Amino acid sequence: EAGVTQFPSHSVIEKGQTVTLRCDPISGHDNLYWYRRVMGKEIKFLLHFVKESKQDESGMPNNRFLAERTGGTYSTLKVQPAELEDSGVYFCASSQADRWRSTTQYFGPGTRLTVL
Amino acid sequence: AQRVTQPEKLLSVFKGAPVELKCNYSYSGSPELFWYVQYSRQRLQLLLRHISRESIKGFTADLNKGETSFHLKKPFAQEEDSAMYYCAPGEYSSASKIIFGSGTRLSIRP
């Protein structure tokens, strides 16, 4: 079974440009999460989709970040315009929906974003 | 507020020595505690969770609600244990977000 995949693995852009990150969750996983780790800091939650709906977007830093999950399959995270402080590693994770027990989140390899 | 503290950024021990990675949490509600690990050039992966009460790769972690701790332990460290370890509480029986600690880099010396 394929795990969570993310594209690209690394992106280098200039300040003010736009970047779109993609995440393909494990097939059948309704829950999809975005996290990020900026330099020297903890891994922080960004948002959570259940199918195509945003369940929790409390971690989104500002309106330069836009996440979508059309059709409830893959998700994109767009940063527009990118700023220097957006540099870091962006992780995607997915899990199955099961209301009776805790759910394990499976992580992708991450996308390393460098904003120059 | 939900918070998790891993006081050690780096822990270096000799192969064969015992290992203890400390984790303290502050969490309202009913947390489930996880330890995630990231080996060099690999993705972040679940190591163990307290509800399973299992030992994975020789590691165990006991949830101490009185001390609000969830320390990760292994009696005899192996070189392949070198990695970044994250303590992470999440909401029990929910698919909600995980709160990650700052992580502890474990380095096993031969």
Side-chain angles (χ1 to χ4, degrees), chain A residues 40-59:
Chain A
K41 299 201 173 177
E42 299 92 345
I43 299 172
K44 294 280 195 185
F45 166 81
L46 295 178
L47 88 159
H48 169 206
F49 284 100
V50 177
K51 296 185 180 178
E52 67 274 12
S53 300
K54 292 177 184 175
Q55 181 76 14
D56 179 358
E57 52 184 326
S58 61

Side-chain angles (χ1 to χ4, degrees), chain B residues 25-41:
Chain B
Y25 66 92
S26 172
Y27 198 95
S28 60
S30 302
E32 178 172 9
L33 278 297
F34 303 88
W35 275 97
Y36 277 82
V37 60
Q38 188 168 25
Y39 301 101
S40 179
R41 301 182 186 280

Side-chain angles (χ1 to χ4, degrees), chain B residues 39-100:
Chain B
Y39 301 101
S40 179
R41 301 182 186 280
Q42 294 187 28
R43 62 185 65 191
L44 197 61
Q45 58 187 284
L46 178 68
L47 178 62
L48 56 80
R49 55 189 184 189
H50 89 271
I51 194 172
S52 301
R53 298 182 183 276
E54 55 193 350
S55 173
I56 303 294
K57 298 184 179 183
F59 284 98
T60 58
D62 290 322
L63 178 61
N64 185 322
K65 292 184 179 180
E67 295 180 0
T68 59
S69 67
F70 188 54
H71 304 326
L72 183 68
K73 300 177 183 179
K74 184 170 182 176
F76 307 104
Q78 298 173 291
E79 288 186 66
E80 55 265 33
D81 295 330
S82 293
M84 195 74 179
Y85 290 80
Y86 297 94
C87 181
E91 185 66 26
Y92 179 69
S93 290
S94 167
S96 65
K97 63 188 177 189
I98 291 173
I99 310 294
F100 284 93

Side-chain angles (χ1 to χ4, degrees), chain A residues 75-90:
Chain A
S75 174
T76 58
L77 179 65
K78 179 189 287 188
V79 185
Q80 180 182 28
E83 298 289 345
L84 299 178
E85 63 264 26
D86 300 332
S87 295
V89 182
Y90 289 75

